[in-house]
Amino acid sequence: MPNQPLPSGLPIIAARAADSHKGTFGRALLVGGSVGMPGSISLSGQACLKGGAGLVTLAVPDAIINTVANFEPSYMTWALPTDRTGRIPLHAKARLNEKLHSSDCLAIGPGLGQTRGLFHLVSHLYETFSKPMVIDADGLNLLAQRDDSLAGHAGPRVVTPHLGEFRRLVGKPHLSMEDARDMAVDVAGNQQVVVVLKGPQTLVTDGHRHWHNPTGNPGLATGGTGDVLTGLITALLAQSLDVYEAALLAVYLHGLAADLAIRETTQSGLTASGLLTFLEEAWRDYESRRDLPST
Ligand SMILES: NC(=O)C1=CN([C@@H]2O[C@H](COP(=O)(O)OP(=O)(O)OC[C@H]3O[C@@H](n4cnc5c(N)ncnc54)[C@H](O)[C@@H]3O)[C@@H](O)[C@H]2O)[C@@H](O)CC1
Ligand SMILES: Nc1ncnc2c1ncn2[C@@H]1O[C@H](COP(=O)(O)OP(=O)(O)O)[C@@H](O)[C@H]1O
Ligand SMILES: [Mg+2]
């Protein structure tokens, strides 16, 4: 990989200016987690930091906040109430709003769980938050329960379904990956969202453009690697890339980290937390190649 130009079409992030500070790289807010799933939102938060966001805050149910905080000292936490099922209740909206005002972008979904209250909360955020937003995992499963799953959003949106989640979003339980790829382009164009259809050669599309990702390997087929991707996309949104560019570069770096990881470990041995440690190598590879002429 080193000394080969980056693939054409890949967004270029300039080197950091000498006078830059954490505010330069944006404030990201990530909402998720529930009792039994504190790890997923932490993986997203750690990936968001390693993706270069300036300030990262995780809004999680107060029942798991100490666990989440203990995973990583570099992000902040924001306590939301916990309902009887261990999840975020609808009345967390007011507390969340306090934080939304000072956030440049939002991610919601990893480890969230699904309840009626969360359906209304996710729908509300999707329909009212005017800045860039990533919706993943249970956030997608909840949007899938709306009459028109992806309609009526208030700002730039990235949705990151795997095939199972995409089938739910479009209400077609038996859709093949091939047909899902065609449909993802249509859905993205019609609903004016960026769709990241995850799997081997993840598809990124805004309906007009599309990218088949060349990086990644089956070592990624392990719980939590999608949560890492969500954090990485959010980091690039915090750094002001547009939704298509952020999704594309994040998917590329995520797969590249996995490719670099399996040189030192194995596909079977790769874990989501192990993947995090290779994001730095992926950035190093990207930075060493970005000034070469593109193919
Ligand atoms: N450490 C953690 O706390 C983790 C929490 N997770 C959370 O667990 C919740 C459920 O996520 P899941 O993705 O497991 O839920 P899903 O209900 O979407 O996936 C469940 C099943 O769908 C099928 N499936 C998954 N990927 C597929 C694909 N690409 N093509 C076809 N079928 C596929 C598989 O049989 C899988 O077991 C989410 O909130 C998620 O964030 C997961 O991210 C795993 C790690
Ligand atoms: N066989 C594979 N080849 C390449 N990438 C894969 C493969 N299987 C899974 N992935 C990648 O791993 C990630 C899995 O995401 P997801 O299913 O949401 O996991 P989780 O919800 O457990 O975090 C996606 O980025 C997907 O593209
Ligand atoms: Mg997932």
Side-chain angles (χ1 to χ4, degrees):
M1 293 169 235
N3 303 323
Q4 284 178 21
L6 291 167
S8 66
L10 204 65
I12 300 299
I13 291 200
R16 290 190 165 199
D19 62 351
S20 52
H21 55 85
K22 61 191 173 193
T24 314
F25 304 110
R27 293 163 195 267
L29 180 66
L30 298 93
V31 183
S34 54
V35 171
M37 288 197 286
S40 50
I41 195 70
S42 174
L43 287 166
S44 300
Q46 292 178 68
C48 194
L49 287 162
K50 286 185 180 279
L55 287 161
V56 177
T57 302
L58 307 193
V60 302
D62 51 13
I64 63 165
I65 197 163
N66 289 339
T67 306
V68 172
N70 275 325
F71 284 133
E72 168 61 57
S74 311
Y75 53 56
M76 292 165 280
T77 52
W78 185 251
L80 301 176
T82 308
D83 74 9
R84 274 178 300 148
T85 70
R87 303 186 177 102
I88 299 167
L90 179 58
H91 67 81
K93 207 195 284 186
R95 173 95 177 130
L96 204 48
N97 270 336
E98 291 175 42
K99 209 63 191 168
L100 284 173
H101 297 303
S102 59
S103 303
D104 298 315
C105 57
L106 171 68
I108 191 160
L112 195 64
Q114 299 179 53
T115 62
R116 203 69 208 147
L118 282 167
F119 167 78
H120 290 295
L121 184 65
V122 170
S123 297
H124 168 77
L125 292 170
Y126 189 75
E127 291 164 12
T128 60
F129 188 66
S130 61
K131 297 176 215 172
M133 177 175 177
V134 184
I135 305 98
D136 183 31
D138 288 322
L140 296 171
N141 294 328
L142 291 161
L143 286 185
Q145 294 166 35
R146 297 167 81 233
D147 288 338
D148 196 350
S149 58
L150 296 176
H153 56 82
R157 299 288 182 260
V158 184
V159 294
T160 60
H162 56 58
L163 179 60
E165 289 159 340
F166 188 77
R167 286 170 173 158
R168 284 175 216 135
L169 274 178
V170 298
K172 294 193 182 299
H174 305 296
L175 202 63
S176 68
M177 188 47 134
E178 199 184 346
D179 290 345
R181 283 173 173 264
D182 291 340
M183 194 174 267
V185 177
D186 293 342
V187 166
N190 293 339
Q191 303 297 347
Q192 296 186 290
V193 299
V194 169
V195 177
V196 176
L197 181 59
K198 298 183 294 193
Q201 295 206 302
T202 291
L203 171 71
V204 181
T205 179
D206 65 359
H208 306 288
R209 297 165 287 179
H210 62 268
W211 166 271
H212 296 280
N213 188 51
T215 60
N217 62 73
L220 287 170
T222 180
T225 55
D227 304 326
V228 171
L229 178 65
T230 291
L232 207 46
I233 298 171
T234 311
L236 299 178
L237 292 174
Q239 291 166 85
S240 302
L241 268 71
D242 70 33
V243 271
Y244 182 71
E245 289 184 331
L248 198 160
L249 182 55
V251 164
Y252 177 83
L253 290 169
H254 180 262
L256 181 57
D259 292 344
L260 294 166
I262 62 161
R263 290 175 173 184
E264 292 186 29
T265 166
T266 58
Q267 290 191 358
S268 309
L270 187 61
T271 62
S273 46
L275 180 67
L276 282 172
T277 65
F278 283 92
L279 289 177
E280 287 148 73
E281 290 295 320
W283 274 121
R284 193 197 308 279
D285 183 277
Y286 170 85
E287 288 172 7
S288 71
R289 293 160 63 199
R290 76 177 155 208
D291 298 327
L292 299 170
S294 61
T295 50

